[in-house]
Amino acid sequence: ETGVTQSPTHLIKTRGQQVTLRCSSQSGHNTVSWYQQALGQGPQFIFQYYREEENGRGNFPPRFSGLQFPNYSSELNVNALELDDSALYLCAAGGESTDTQYFGPGTRLTVL
Amino acid sequence: DQQVKQNSPSLSVQEGRISILNCDYTNSMFDYFLWYKKYPAEGPTFLISISSIKDKNEDGRFTVFLNKSAKHLSLHIVPSQPGDSAVYFCAASGGTYKYIFGTGTRLKVLA
């Protein structure tokens, strides 16, 4: 049990729509990162938040944005959805005293 | 450019024998390495990690070896059990939480 939860489990959207994915972690997890995992690939880093500020970003366009809240929850927003955005989206939480991140179960997004 | 590579997409091992999963990296700035296990429809589960100041870390049946000069790490599972069947990802970071993952190795432990 990692203490990291994500919602929803599955989601189907159409191209051009917007989507918000949610992540919740436990007290002490000051850092949250979001990853995209396409089929047959390893997770790809999207961005990271530390104490509600973006603290690093991977090679993803600005239509991928996020928020982190004081209650250890976080959101990933994706605008203008494209077919290639279909993937498993994972959030990972970590504390300041460890280098290890713990992953949630993921949200499977399908864009039609 | 794939900075972390797992060149074996799959591996089959007999129950009770040793499983060895390999990972190579190219970035010499990486200083922390992890192994995650992933079952279908679940998120990656942390297994074991190693810092670049060490060359070995052990946790029960799992041992990770790091060869910095070769930029290579390996995960040994002894003895292998059918419940170990999953996809294993290695990941590396360079002082941040930005993990770079390999593409995974599917391990199948045969009963």
Side-chain angles (χ1 to χ4, degrees), chain B residues 73-93:
Chain B
L73 66 155
S74 61
L75 174 68
H76 293 207
I77 306 174
V78 183
S80 300
Q81 299 173 354
D84 296 329
S85 296
V87 178
Y88 289 77
F89 291 97
C90 70
S93 73

Side-chain angles (χ1 to χ4, degrees), chain A residues 17-43:
Chain A
Q17 285 190 309
Q18 180 266 344
V19 69
T20 297
L21 309 182
R22 293 180 173 83
C23 172
S24 180
S25 64
Q26 61 193 28
S27 174
H29 284 165
N30 294 317
T31 302
V32 66
S33 302
W34 285 89
Y35 290 80
Q36 180 195 66
Q37 186 178 13
L39 207 58
Q41 301 295 317

Side-chain angles (χ1 to χ4, degrees), chain A residues 31 35 48 95 98-101 104, chain B residues 32 36 38 43-44 89 97 99 102:
Chain A
T31 302
Y35 290 80
Q48 174 195 116
T98 175
D99 290 314
T100 301
Q101 293 182 88
Chain B
Y32 192 66
Y36 285 85
K38 188 176 185 302
F89 291 97
Y97 275 121
Y99 290 177

Side-chain angles (χ1 to χ4, degrees), chain A residues 2 7 13 16-17 22 30 33 36 45 47 51-52 56 70 76 85 91 93 101-102 107-110 112:
Chain A
T2 65
S7 63
K13 291 284 189 177
Q17 285 190 309
R22 293 180 173 83
N30 294 317
S33 302
Q36 180 195 66
F45 176 76
F47 46 56
R51 295 191 172 183
E52 301 162 49
L76 164 66
D85 295 335
C91 83
Q101 293 182 88
Y102 297 92
T107 293
R108 170 75 58 190
L109 172 65
T110 302
L112 302 176

Side-chain angles (χ1 to χ4, degrees), chain A residues 1-107:
Chain A
E1 194 62 46
T2 65
V4 182
T5 59
Q6 291 186 245
S7 63
T9 307
H10 296 90
L11 200 53
I12 299 175
K13 291 284 189 177
T14 56
R15 195 169 47 182
Q17 285 190 309
Q18 180 266 344
V19 69
T20 297
L21 309 182
R22 293 180 173 83
C23 172
S24 180
S25 64
Q26 61 193 28
S27 174
H29 284 165
N30 294 317
T31 302
V32 66
S33 302
W34 285 89
Y35 290 80
Q36 180 195 66
Q37 186 178 13
L39 207 58
Q41 301 295 317
Q44 299 284 319
F45 176 76
I46 302 174
F47 46 56
Q48 174 195 116
Y49 278 79
Y50 174 68
R51 295 191 172 183
E52 301 162 49
E53 298 280 336
E54 187 177 296
N55 185 35
R57 190 175 185 92
N59 293 327
F60 281 82
R63 58 190 186 83
F64 286 78
S65 64
L67 287 170
Q68 185 187 23
F69 302 101
N71 64 351
Y72 303 104
S73 66
S74 172
E75 287 180 359
L76 164 66
N77 298 292
V78 187
N79 292 322
L81 283 167
E82 301 177 0
L83 297 179
D84 285 348
D85 295 335
S86 295
L88 180 69
Y89 288 85
L90 297 159
C91 83
E96 293 181 73
S97 61
T98 175
D99 290 314
T100 301
Q101 293 182 88
Y102 297 92
F103 283 83
T107 293

Side-chain angles (χ1 to χ4, degrees), chain B residues 34-99:
Chain B
L34 311 94
W35 285 94
Y36 285 85
K37 176 170 75 172
K38 188 176 185 302
Y39 294 116
E42 293 184 14
T45 301
F46 169 73
L47 269 178
I48 192 168
S49 62
I50 188 167
S51 146
S52 59
I53 62 172
K54 295 185 175 182
D55 54 18
K56 178 182 173 181
N57 189 25
E58 229 173 316
D59 185 1
R61 297 187 297 115
F62 301 92
T63 303
V64 55
F65 295 91
L66 176 62
N67 182 333
K68 288 187 290 292
S69 60
K71 294 191 177 69
H72 177 84
L73 66 155
S74 61
L75 174 68
H76 293 207
I77 306 174
V78 183
S80 300
Q81 299 173 354
D84 296 329
S85 296
V87 178
Y88 289 77
F89 291 97
C90 70
S93 73
T96 73
Y97 275 121
K98 178 182 178 180
Y99 290 177

